[in-house]
Each structure stands twice: as C-alpha cells, then as structure tokens.
Amino acid sequence: MRALQQAITDKAELWRDVVKIGRTHLEDAVPLTVGQEWSGYAPQLEQACERVVDSSAGLLELAMGGTAVGTGLNAPEGFAEQVADEIARATGFSFTTARNKFAAQGGLDAMVGASSGLRALAVPLMKIANDIRWLASGPRCGLGELVLPSNEPGSSIMPGKVNPTQCEAMVMVCIQVLSEDQAIAFAGSQGNFELNAMRPVIINDFLHMTGILADACAKFREYCVEGAELDRERIEEYVDRSLMLVTALSPVIGYDKASAIAHRANDGGTTLRAAALASGYVSGEEFDRIVDPTAMAGPTPA
C-alpha cells in the first residue's frame, strides 16, 4: 500500500502543472490540475494506512491462558505471561497477555476492529480505481484523459480494444473485502456467554482480505499507475470547451449574468468567450484577464 501511495504521489508531482477540468456530480466543474487531483488520492491512502496500523493494536492481546471460560483454571502459574513473551520473541511483535481473559474469549472485538481498518483501505482504493478507469474511458468516445498501459489482449470480439482490467480487478478485490468485513462483524457479534466460537470464519476472511489487498495494491501500482500517461491534447480541449470557467466572472459581473453567459454559450453551441462578448457584460480584454484556467486552479498542496 505504501508503494502504491508513493507511485501516486510521483504522478501527482509529475503532472502538477497540467490544468484540467474538474467534475462534480459527474458534471463539468471549475479547473484544477491533474497534480491536484492525484494529490488527493495519496493522502487518502496515507490516512487509510494509519487506520490499518491503529486498528491492529488490539490484536497484540492474547487470550491464551484463560483456559475454558477465562478463569485460567488448570493453567500453571505464569503460563499466560510466559506464552505471550515467547510469541513476542518469536515474531518481533509486542504481544502481551490479555488484561481480561473473559473479554478476550467471549468477544472478538479486536479482530472486528482490525477488519474495519482493512475496510477503511478498500473504500479509497475503490474510489481511486473507479476514477482512473472513468478518466481512461474511450479512447475516442469517453473521457480519454488518461492512457493506461495495454497489459492484456483486448476483447475476444472487438479487435484492438483495451480494457482497464487492473482497475476492474481492484474494484472486485475491494468488493470482496467489504463483503468479508461484514461477515467478520456479523461473526464478531455471535459470541455466546463465555466464548465466541466464530474464530475460524473470522481468521479465514481476515487473512484472505489482507492477502488480496496486498496483491491488488502491488499489481495496480505496477501494471496501471506507474505506466499511466496523459492525453494532453484531450485535456486541453476540455479546458477550452468548458462552460464552468464562467465561474471566474461571477465576482465581477454577478452570478445571474455569468449564468446567462454559460446558458447562451451552451444553447448556441458557441465558445464561452464568444457568448461573453456577445452579452456585452465584459470586453475581450477583460474576459482574457479574468478567465484564466491556470490561475483558477490555484496552488497544488505540498
């Protein structure tokens, strides 16, 4: 995950000055840079990584030594502590004996919490993968801003077609993780009195989640993110055609007049500049000075 985060950070830096049109509600919005867009992906993964680490802290408390119901009946004195110390030495992790064996055996809350950390990673990964495959849709009848590596042969029936298979694989992995997280939460709620017997399904799903997430992050980085390129001509074309650049005029001529210009351009099939000049609200010199996509994008976060 950290390697994927770094690859995304590298792309954000590489593309920090490429101005593009933003999108909200799936509709055209004001400009930003590709670097700004991708700079938002990296912190999402950084925050998710922190949640994974934080949520796993409870896994270091071991129920071993509680024996049948948590009382420690028949366990030699010091057994629980000795086992925890031995496991800690063998693994390099700071395992300890659980402070309350009744909680550790009757509930599996630490596992449920750790699973939620993986869920917190799957959510932004799915968002990022979906963004990338939408941005790469095309090449001629979609958004087409991104050009993804051609890793696999195309469609079995459509020669030359290239599909965003790595994005689709990541989405499917995230769906699986979200589903298994639900199963773990449900299993965690099924403790009865002094024992939750659902450990097998929980550990099976948890280990599967970690395995497929790690693999998906590695493959997505190697076969998608690192080789992704920009179609700069398409991006520039979208910027030139955008009606939402009119937002820069709002502080100068007011919202209603700016809105009228946008509608006039859209209805008449003209450029925003032509509609603005025809409206008489601004001169060509004023329009060129005010409607500057690069200035509208602002600085990229460090």
Side-chain angles (χ1 to χ4, degrees):
M1 179 172 58
R2 291 194 183 279
L4 173 58
Q5 176 196 345
Q6 185 58 53
I8 289 175
T9 300
D10 292 343
K11 291 293 186 182
E13 179 61 28
L14 179 65
W15 298 331
R16 64 182 294 116
D17 297 324
V18 181
V19 178
K20 61 162 287 179
I21 289 300
R23 296 178 180 88
T24 57
H25 302 275
L26 299 181
E27 304 293 325
D28 301 348
V30 296
L32 75 166
T33 68
V34 179
Q36 288 171 331
E37 187 171 56
W38 283 61
S39 77
Y41 298 151
Q44 285 187 277
L45 295 185
E46 181 180 4
Q47 292 163 6
C49 184
E50 293 171 356
R51 293 187 184 102
V52 169
V53 173
D54 292 343
S55 67
S56 65
L59 300 180
L60 297 174
E61 288 197 7
L62 301 175
M64 183 74 74
T67 66
V69 296
T71 61
L73 179 67
N74 292 346
E77 184 177 353
F79 174 76
E81 291 76 14
Q82 290 174 22
V83 169
D85 289 344
E86 185 64 29
I87 293 177
R89 281 194 296 270
T91 63
F93 292 98
S94 54
F95 283 101
T96 61
T97 187
R99 290 165 292 177
N100 188 302
K101 302 297 191 299
F102 304 105
Q105 295 184 198
L108 292 170
D109 301 332
M111 287 299 302
V112 173
S115 176
S116 72
L118 298 182
R119 179 188 68 215
L121 170 59
V123 168
L125 280 174
M126 184 181 290
K127 191 269 188 201
I128 293 167
N130 272 326
D131 276 6
I132 288 176
R133 66 172 176 154
W134 274 110
L135 290 168
S137 61
R140 294 192 175 181
C141 301
L143 296 180
E145 293 186 7
L146 280 177
V147 181
L148 301 183
S150 301
N151 297 302
E152 302 88 3
S155 165
S156 59
I157 191 173
M158 291 172 279
K161 191 172 189 289
V162 179
N163 296 321
T165 52
Q166 295 301 316
C167 297
E168 292 166 345
M170 177 62 82
V171 169
M172 286 187 280
V173 164
C174 292
I175 291 172
Q176 183 71 40
V177 168
L178 294 176
S179 300
E180 289 181 325
D181 173 66
Q182 288 296 305
I184 288 174
F186 188 25
S189 72
Q190 297 304 297
N192 301 117
F193 305 113
E194 278 66 60
L195 181 68
N196 187 321
M198 302 293 112
R199 282 169 168 78
V201 67
I202 287 179
I203 197 61
N204 177 77
D205 286 357
F206 186 80
L207 291 177
H208 186 241
M209 291 163 69
T210 59
I212 61 177
L213 271 175
D215 186 58
C217 284
K219 298 300 187 290
F220 189 63
R221 170 185 56 80
E222 182 178 0
Y223 295 110
C224 181
V225 172
E226 290 182 343
E229 300 291 345
L230 298 180
D231 186 333
R232 294 175 185 255
E233 290 184 5
R234 179 72 66 89
I235 292 172
E236 185 176 345
E237 177 189 356
Y238 287 153
V239 173
D240 291 341
R241 291 170 50 196
S242 173
L243 300 180
M244 290 304 100
L245 298 179
V246 78
T247 306
L249 291 174
S250 291
V252 180
I253 63 175
Y255 184 95
D256 290 340
K257 290 180 179 178
S259 177
I261 290 174
H263 285 292
R264 182 170 187 160
N266 189 51
D267 295 343
T270 66
T271 65
L272 188 65
R273 189 178 191 279
L277 269 59
S279 72
Y281 297 141
V282 292
S283 66
E285 181 181 352
E286 289 174 318
F287 183 92
D288 295 337
R289 176 176 53 82
I290 298 168
V291 183
D292 180 352
T294 301
M296 293 174 69
T300 299

